[in-house]
Amino acid sequence: LTEIFADDILENLSKIITPDSTVIDIGAQAGNMSVAYSLFAKQVLSFEPNPATFEVLEKNSQLNPTIKPYNYAISDEEGALEFHYSDVGFCNGGFATRTDFGVGVTGHRIPIDVVAINFEKFVEENNIELGTVSLIKIDAEGHDKDILKTLKNTISEHKPVLITEIYTGSNKNEIAELMSIIHSMGYKIYDEKQNRLNMKDLGKQVKVPEDIDVSSGHNLVCVYDS
């Protein structure tokens, strides 16, 4: 929490998230980042499929009404899915069967049933007004690349800053595919761990997996190449 709410991170977020905009937080977990985003956004749409951590996210949304919590996974597969978690408290996990290493990757072996939806279909069917989307954050334990494909229209229309994870359980081919999808959407990629979301000094561009130390766990910050 001291890392998330550091002064420089909050200052940088305030410059990315405009007061009248929407932030989409996919894989919100207990809502730590959603709370940070809610300090600046008009609304934060927070999606978390795990019912255990969703309880905490929901409490955070009661304290921060800007957060709109939804107990769903975002995926290219809709309906009931089996996720796997690394602990009996269901603190950390995801769609392990969709990773190349499969169930057991980074210790994710404990199953839990979740419900998955298509984001753009969900927004349309529930008449959710997005307004301007300034930021999309995805942290989905290796499922990020598949989720990005389902957000294509939203990203194309709003061209928000993207934050997505390089999952430590992904292999080189999966990381290369993630980067390829981001590049195909017209975005440049940078290492969030180095720039800490400072849009004025993003650092060296990340073009291939070799440009980043994938073993240590990183987020990518991606900016539309205008």
Side-chain angles (χ1 to χ4, degrees):
L1 291 179
T2 56
E3 177 70 15
I4 293 170
F5 293 99
D7 289 343
D8 65 327
I9 292 290
L10 294 179
E11 176 68 17
N12 292 335
L13 282 173
S14 73
K15 295 174 181 177
I16 295 171
I17 303 169
T18 55
D20 60 344
S21 71
T22 296
V23 174
I24 301 168
D25 189 356
I26 297 173
Q29 221 252 3
N32 292 337
M33 291 308 306
S34 290
V35 171
Y37 303 148
S38 75
L39 300 176
F40 311 107
K42 181 178 181 180
Q43 64 175 347
V44 182
L45 307 182
S46 301
F47 295 86
E48 174 52 48
N50 176 359
T53 53
F54 181 78
E55 288 185 17
V56 185
L57 172 62
E58 200 164 34
K59 293 292 184 183
N60 272 320
S61 73
Q62 292 168 7
L63 296 170
N64 303 273
T66 302
I67 300 172
K68 314 299 181 187
Y70 300 98
N71 192 196
Y72 298 113
I74 303 298
S75 180
D76 53 350
E77 293 186 42
E78 295 183 79
L81 299 177
E82 186 178 67
F83 279 20
H84 288 81
Y85 284 74
S86 59
D87 57 284
V88 293
F90 300 111
C91 179
N92 187 41
F95 204 2
T97 56
R98 285 288 293 271
T99 64
D100 286 353
F101 289 134
V103 175
V105 59
T106 62
H108 293 172
R109 296 185 177 89
I110 302 173
I112 187 172
D113 293 330
V114 304
V115 177
I117 59 170
N118 177 287
F119 172 81
E120 293 179 346
K121 182 178 176 182
F122 180 79
V123 166
E124 182 178 358
E125 291 179 346
N126 289 275
N127 297 313
I128 297 173
E129 293 291 336
L130 291 181
T132 299
V133 179
S134 59
L135 174 65
I136 297 176
K137 186 223 84 180
I138 306 172
D139 187 344
E141 308 296 281
H143 194 41
D144 303 47
K145 58 184 174 56
D146 303 299
I147 292 171
L148 276 170
K149 297 173 186 175
T150 72
L151 298 169
K152 187 175 181 180
N153 293 331
T154 302
I155 292 171
S156 176
E157 179 180 352
H158 297 274
K159 300 175 177 59
V161 171
L162 306 176
I163 301 174
T164 186
E165 180 192 26
I166 287 190
Y167 179 43
T168 54
S170 298
N171 61 31
K172 183 177 177 180
N173 289 336
E174 289 174 304
I175 296 168
E177 182 182 355
L178 170 63
M179 291 184 176
S180 176
I181 291 168
I182 296 168
H183 285 143
S184 73
M185 293 178 170
Y187 277 75
K188 290 182 177 179
I189 303 172
Y190 301 89
D191 183 355
E192 186 262 345
K193 198 168 187 177
Q194 291 182 4
N195 58 54
R196 293 173 66 82
L197 301 178
N198 183 354
M199 296 295 111
K200 292 184 178 179
D201 186 14
L202 289 167
K204 183 180 178 181
Q205 189 177 345
V206 175
K207 296 183 178 180
V208 293
E210 288 78 11
D211 289 339
I212 194 168
D213 179 12
V214 298
S215 64
S216 61
H218 279 66
N219 286 331
L220 302 176
V221 54
C222 313
V223 180
Y224 185 73
D225 185 8
S226 57

